[in-house]
């Protein structure tokens, strides 16, 4: 048996270290947490995607008593972008979350389902996503979904 190591690079920055476009995208994700509908978990997640045409599309989680029909903020933003701007490429996504105590100190990563949707977004656009995960203490900057989901499943396996 052989062990295989998979390495990931994640940059850690303060909000002040982000360029203006990234700071605005993170702020849009933070703002989107306020539109979240999370009456069951009380865990409000916001996301925002930036398209190659400069448009920023927000998204937020939407819960339902039948939990299977709940949708995450990341997919809400990605799917809204695809529906409204089908020819535009998604360049970046920012994700933020708050609970009853306020914005989280540490960044939260996307769930597995959202990671898979991000794989498809990258495949569709032909470019790596610039991913920003916000926490009050710092922001994680990740270049490409492969850093969060190194063994991806795509149409190449079909």
């Amino acid at each position: 048996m052989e062990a295989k190591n998979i390495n990931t690079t994640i940059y850690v920055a303060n909000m002040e270290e982000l360029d203006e476009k990234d700071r605005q995208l993170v702020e849009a994700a933070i703002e989107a947490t306020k539109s979240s509908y999370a009456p069951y978990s009380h865990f409000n997640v916001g996301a925002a995607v930036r398209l190659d045409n400069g448009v920023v599309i927000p998204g937020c989680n939407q819960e339902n008593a039948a939990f299977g029909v709940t949708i995450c903020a990341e997919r809400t933003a990605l799917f809204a972008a695809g529906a409204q701007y089908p020819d535009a490429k998604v360049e970046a996504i920012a994700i933020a979350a708050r609970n009853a105590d306020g914005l989280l100190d540490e960044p939260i990563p996307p769930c597995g389902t959202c990671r898979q949707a991000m794989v498809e977004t990258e495949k569709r656009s032909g470019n790596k996503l610039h991913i920003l995960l916000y926490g009050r203490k710092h922001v994680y900057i990740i270049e490409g979904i492969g850093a969060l989901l190194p063994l991806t499943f795509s149409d190449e396996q079909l």
Side-chain angles (χ1 to χ4, degrees):
M1 181 180 320
E2 177 185 338
K4 182 176 183 176
N5 290 318
I6 300 172
N7 296 314
T8 296
T9 300
I10 296 175
Y11 299 94
V12 181
N14 296 316
M15 280 289 280
E16 299 77 31
E17 295 175 296
L18 300 179
D19 67 26
E20 186 63 26
K21 286 178 16 177
D22 284 354
R23 196 169 29 260
Q24 288 175 352
L25 190 63
V26 169
E27 289 169 354
I30 292 168
E31 186 64 27
T33 66
K34 297 175 184 175
S35 299
S36 167
Y37 179 70
Y40 307 103
S41 70
H42 306 289
F43 190 69
N44 306 94
V45 182
V49 297
R50 183 177 61 238
L51 305 178
D52 63 353
N53 61 10
V55 172
V56 172
I57 308 276
C60 57
N61 60 319
Q62 301 292 308
E63 291 182 351
N64 191 294
F67 291 133
V69 296
T70 295
I71 188 167
C72 300
E74 299 90 327
R75 285 179 288 138
T76 301
L78 289 168
F79 297 164
Q84 295 175 43
Y85 299 91
D87 297 325
K89 295 179 179 182
V90 176
E91 289 182 337
I93 184 167
I95 304 162
R98 71 175 65 241
N99 60 22
D101 297 326
L103 290 168
L104 301 183
D105 285 338
E106 295 295 327
I108 61 157
C111 74
T113 302
C114 290
R115 291 177 197 211
Q116 187 62 42
M118 292 164 79
V119 167
E120 194 69 24
T121 299
E122 277 191 1
K123 178 97 173 144
R124 185 176 176 187
S125 71
N127 63 289
K128 286 186 176 185
L129 283 174
H130 181 66
I131 303 165
L132 302 157
L133 306 179
Y134 171 80
R136 287 190 306 188
K137 290 183 179 179
H138 43 258
V139 178
Y140 291 162
I141 303 167
I142 302 155
E143 298 304 332
I145 190 60
L148 289 176
L149 187 62
L151 300 174
T152 62
F153 175 78
S154 70
D155 62 340
E156 295 167 2
Q157 285 89 18
L158 297 177

